[in-house]
Amino acid sequence: MAPRASGEAAVTAPREAPGGAQAQVPQGAQGAQAAAPDGNTLTSVDEHLADVLAAIRPLPPTELGLAEAEGCVLAEDATARCPLPPFDNSAMDGYALRSADVAGASEHAPVTLPVTGQVTAGDTGAYAVAPGTCLRITTGALLPGGADAVVPVELTDAGLAKVTIRTAVEPGTAIRRSGGDARAGDVLLTAGTRLGPMQIAVLAASGHGRVVVRPRPRVVVLSTGNELAEPGTPVVPGRIWDSNSFMLAAAAREAGCLAYRHTALPDDPLALLPAIEDQLVRADLLITSGGVSMGGEHDVVKETLRRLGTVTFRKVAMQPGMPQGFGTIGEDRTPIFTLPGNPVSAYVSFQLFVRPALGALQGDGARRLPAVRAALTGPVRSPAAKRSFLRGVLDSAAGTVTPLSGQGSHQVATLGRANALIVVPEGVAQMREGDTADVLCLP
Ligand code: AMP
Ligand code: MG
């Protein structure tokens, strides 16, 4: 199954032509490729994502028990094996009877019937209601033979040996008919459906103990950098704590994956390649962070992987996150993303490119950030040749989005306050307060 295109406008150009308030770049910046200031070619966000998705093949389907299937994606339609409900049963606690026996009943002329027994949920015996009698019945209990209605206990005196009924009922009252929810053979969930609690309920209720799914992708995250120290350990000036590997592993888990984090690696090809190769056995997808910037000798990821020939490094017309690498590695051609090291760049890159790729691994093309439109509460600026993704606070109720200050790609503090990314498209250098912007909602 090929990855399906999503209908969501996560990383598309704005749906409205930018108004006069948005500064237009005269020419050339809106196509797939634009000239970077240094003369290198920039690839558009959309083109990079399309190339990534074209290279992803869904994971092979596997059969899992229901408890393990949560978070996975159905690989085949799930049908009702029997009607739902499987048998006629009572919708209320009350009295099962023949509606004709209470046809004239009212507040002023109640009808009293003998109660010949009780049938409760789970009873499998062959009960029957004789004319002129009734049976006590509980919600979910098999409807006794002869009964065509249930009178809720609230409309009676709740008697045990005999019961006084103050209302007439139509045939079928308070009865759930077999097949009223679904008929045997009905498709309950289609292939490609992600299994959340509601879908798991449908499968369980229709008797599916095992299902054929595309499993949660296994993601391995490796960060690189001589400067990186493990959080919780002391650092001296010159060193920083590794935040990317924790962030990316968490983001992968949030996106429904099993994520493994490797301790930070030094900027040393002799350490990087063996580490990557070791991880391939447990990875459906690899993510590295750092070491891909401008090709200096410390850009260990770029230097090491470029030699393999299966990973492409390019500059994407976006801010943050311009240096991107993507390709495959190893015998199984495992997808690998090499994300830039600045934490905000790494995070935005994950949400724009890795998240949809993880969806594609499960045959779920809908794994993009939901997009909305909101009015800016303050001005924003953007390099005209790039699409900017600015951290902001979206107020969905008010329909506004507030750009945060501190938009540097190293400024991780702002990340902790944002719930959205404001998209400033290519060709727009600034937007004013009150302008309507595309906004991506962060998970
Ligand atoms: P690089 O992409 O390796 O050139 O790194 C760019 C910037 O991101 C540098 O300031 C790095 O110190 C920082 N950085 C790289 N990796 C990490 C990481 N795992 N956690 C936090 N910051 C990082
Ligand atoms: Mg580095």
Side-chain angles (χ1 to χ4, degrees):
M1 193 182 357
R4 287 163 293 138
S6 163
E8 289 177 71
V11 289
T12 57
R15 277 157 293 215
E16 280 170 20
Q22 298 181 346
Q24 291 295 296
V25 167
Q27 66 209 11
Q30 216 123 27
Q33 306 218 310
D38 61 4
N40 288 345
T41 306
L42 291 182
T43 305
S44 75
V45 170
D46 301 324
E47 188 182 349
H48 185 60
L49 178 60
D51 288 349
V52 164
L53 293 179
I56 302 274
R57 296 283 159 267
L59 299 173
T62 181
E63 192 182 281
L64 291 181
L66 216 45
E68 291 77 46
E70 189 249 313
C72 300
V73 173
L74 270 185
E76 42 190 55
D77 292 351
T79 55
R81 291 185 166 162
C82 58
L84 290 180
F87 50 87
D88 292 352
N89 68 91
S90 178
M92 308 281 277
D93 290 345
Y95 297 84
L97 44 66
R98 293 157 189 266
S99 55
D101 287 339
V102 291
S106 69
E107 282 292 338
H108 304 296
V111 170
T112 299
L113 298 177
V115 180
T116 59
Q118 162 159 297
V119 51
T120 60
D123 283 353
T124 56
Y127 291 85
V129 173
T133 72
C134 65
L135 278 170
R136 287 177 71 204
I137 192 165
T138 67
T139 306
L142 178 61
L143 191 71
D148 70 354
V150 170
V151 179
V153 67
E154 297 89 324
L155 303 177
T156 74
D157 68 353
L160 296 181
K162 56 187 172 54
V163 63
T164 297
I165 295 166
R166 300 188 303 268
T167 183
V169 288
E170 296 290 320
T173 297
I175 291 175
R176 304 161 171 166
R177 290 291 176 200
S178 171
D181 193 5
R183 288 162 305 176
D186 279 357
V187 174
L188 298 172
L189 300 168
T190 53
T193 301
R194 188 171 290 276
L195 300 178
M198 296 176 291
Q199 291 74 29
I200 293 284
V202 171
L203 292 168
S206 56
H208 292 270
R210 303 182 69 75
V211 282
V212 179
V213 293
R214 298 200 193 274
R216 290 174 184 261
R218 299 163 305 158
V219 176
V220 172
V221 180
L222 305 99
S223 55
T224 64
N226 288 340
E227 72 276 35
L228 300 178
E230 194 74 2
T233 65
V235 287
V236 293
R239 298 295 189 91
I240 58 167
W241 289 292
D242 170 16
S243 58
N244 289 354
S245 63
F246 289 95
M247 169 184 71
L248 294 168
R253 278 186 211 107
E254 187 283 323
C257 301
L258 305 170
Y260 310 101
R261 174 193 161 264
H262 195 284
T263 35
L265 290 159
D267 290 317
D268 176 3
L270 294 178
L272 178 64
L273 203 52
I276 290 179
E277 279 165 354
D278 276 357
Q279 295 302 317
L280 281 174
V281 288
R282 62 166 175 174
D284 297 312
L285 185 144
L286 288 150
I287 306 172
T288 66
S289 99
V292 293
S293 346
M294 302 307 287
E297 68 205 58
H298 293 295
D299 287 325
V300 61
V301 174
K302 201 174 193 176
E303 285 318 301
T304 308
L305 296 183
R306 203 191 337 237
R307 273 183 244 136
L308 300 180
T310 54
V311 181
T312 304
F313 294 90
R314 49 170 51 154
K315 292 179 181 176
V316 175
M318 64 190 279
Q319 183 165 290
M322 182 174 70
Q324 294 289 332
F326 174 77
T328 59
I329 188 164
E331 259 174 42
D332 296 335
R333 301 215 268 147
T334 306
I336 181 167
F337 284 88
T338 69
L339 304 185
N342 272 310
V344 183
S345 311
Y347 180 75
V348 170
S349 305
F350 178 94
Q351 298 301 351
L352 292 183
F353 304 122
V354 185
R355 188 182 174 84
L358 293 170
L361 279 178
Q362 290 192 291
D364 174 4
R367 288 254 110 176
R368 303 201 191 175
L369 297 180
V372 297
R373 307 266 292 160
L376 288 167
T377 64
V380 294
R381 301 189 66 82
S382 166
K386 294 183 185 173
R387 193 180 299 181
S388 283
F389 298 91
L390 304 169
R391 281 147 281 163
V393 178
L394 175 69
D395 181 339
S396 302
T400 59
V401 64
T402 301
L404 291 166
S405 61
Q407 292 285 349
S409 58
H410 65 291
Q411 287 179 299
V412 75
T414 316
L415 214 43
R417 298 200 297 277
N419 66 359
L421 296 174
I422 301 163
V423 184
V424 187
E426 299 90 326
V428 176
Q430 61 186 50
M431 293 174 76
R432 292 197 202 128
E433 179 183 341
D435 284 354
T436 302
D438 281 319
V439 177
L440 304 178
C441 306
L442 295 175

